[in-house]
Amino acid sequence: MKNLVILGGGYGGKKILHTLLDSNLPNDVRITVVDRNPYHSLKTEFYAIAAGTTSERAVRQDFPTHNQVDYVYDEILHIDTEKQHIELQHDDAPFPYDYLVIGLGCEDNYHGVKGAEEFTHSVQTIARARRAGLAIGELKANGKVAIVGGGLSGIEVASEIRESRPDLNISLLDRGASVLSPFDSKIQQHVEDWFRRNDVEVLHHSNVEYVEKDHVCNNSECIDFDVTIWTAGVRPNHLIQSLPFEKDLQGKVILNDYYQVPTHTAVYVVGDCASSSYSPSAQLAGKQGEQIGEVLASVLQGNEPEKPKAIKLKGQLGSLGKSDGFGNMFTQPVTGLLPRLAKSGVLWLNTRH
């Protein structure tokens, strides 16, 4: 029996699983998916959970059932790539594997800012987004909310909270001269204009020095806030740090052309933990997952896998509430209702796949 273990049921892990189940999976293969939750969750929509504009059920999907697939719902404590087993929080016996896929995603990067981890909320997991939503929902009229980070997540959190709670005072703390620095200037200006029209304060050139329970200290000025949400960058899951693999400057595992760890070719890495020329995204993880699934299908059938083709992404979309948005579509910057409808369409397809 060949034991394939997939760590993480996110976009990459889910796509690998579906691709394998659609192939001629040999009868001597057993697949085990390990995830903390008994469902796949649409991480791109966690901002709406934090704002209270979407139900949690709307961003959850059931894992597929198959007689060759088992599920283990637990926290992973350690990955031992020499002994080829996984140590879990609630299982005394190590969990062995013959082939391993690491798709554990990312976590907040606090950049060493004192108090940030203890006193801010997050949208990096569904559990943390749920807690952020509860904190926002319980605020009284004219409560003050800070969002630290002017990237895609910060923009979507701030705009969605604004539509959900027009009474709140919302401030977005951004390190740069304009929000969404990787995007086209047309998109940056559109977002800045939306914030001005909707009374969201943007504090440019921010430098958050430390965070305490009820305030954020930025550029030597401490500002009172009732709730602070951290969206100022991510890093690979902490379990990746201790693995004896070569990593890039972002701490992501460097792979060969088949998504294998060169020194441990039975180990594959997908998504936010895998070194790539692209920025992390659900779209990228899904594309990688499809290719890894095809490679693994060949390997498990005893065949030589074909080298995956270079990935081409279709663009990136973001929302400004329910009726406005922005994005790069076919390499062109687009703003307004069209990219928002396109994002809703992508979500609709994902939830009904």
Side-chain angles (χ1 to χ4, degrees), residues 33-84:
V33 179
V34 182
D35 196 281
R36 60 163 63 97
N37 296 316
Y39 48 77
H40 166 76
S41 51
L42 302 171
K43 188 175 182 179
T44 58
E45 305 306 306
F46 286 177
Y47 70 92
I49 298 296
T53 57
T54 295
S55 70
E56 185 179 317
R57 183 65 185 95
V59 302
R60 297 201 315 253
Q61 294 178 342
D62 296 333
F63 288 125
T65 57
H66 191 277
N67 60 8
Q68 289 176 257
V69 180
D70 299 312
Y71 294 95
V72 175
Y73 306 121
D74 205 345
E75 291 285 346
I76 301 165
L77 297 180
H78 181 61
I79 304 169
D80 192 324
T81 55
E82 300 307 317
K83 296 180 180 178
Q84 293 195 193

Side-chain angles (χ1 to χ4, degrees), residues 101-220:
V101 174
I102 300 174
L104 295 174
C106 61
E107 58 191 25
D108 287 296
N109 187 348
Y110 295 103
H111 307 288
V113 175
K114 184 179 179 181
E117 185 170 4
E118 294 85 350
F119 300 117
T120 67
H121 290 276
S122 169
V123 291
Q124 285 305 314
T125 69
I126 193 169
R128 300 195 71 183
R130 187 189 301 130
R131 291 193 289 272
L134 180 62
I136 295 293
E138 290 186 339
L139 286 178
K140 296 180 180 180
N142 302 313
K144 299 179 68 176
V145 179
I147 294 97
V148 181
L152 180 59
S153 293
I155 298 304
E156 293 191 314
V157 169
S159 59
E160 198 77 5
I161 292 175
R162 166 50 73 228
E163 285 205 349
S164 173
R165 293 288 305 271
D167 60 291
L168 297 179
N169 297 293
I170 303 173
S171 298
L172 181 75
L173 284 70
D174 177 39
R175 288 184 64 89
S178 175
V179 297
L180 293 173
S181 56
F183 283 77
D184 186 90
S185 59
K186 175 185 176 181
I187 291 174
Q188 294 174 9
Q189 190 61 52
H190 181 79
V191 173
E192 296 271 4
D193 291 343
W194 192 97
F195 281 151
R196 272 193 293 271
R197 291 195 308 271
N198 290 275
D199 195 27
V200 174
E201 180 185 34
V202 181
L203 301 175
H204 290 302
H205 303 292
S206 291
N207 179 29
V208 175
E209 294 147 330
Y210 62 93
V211 181
E212 294 189 347
K213 184 177 184 295
D214 297 315
H215 58 258
V216 176
C217 290
N218 174 49
N219 287 325
S220 301

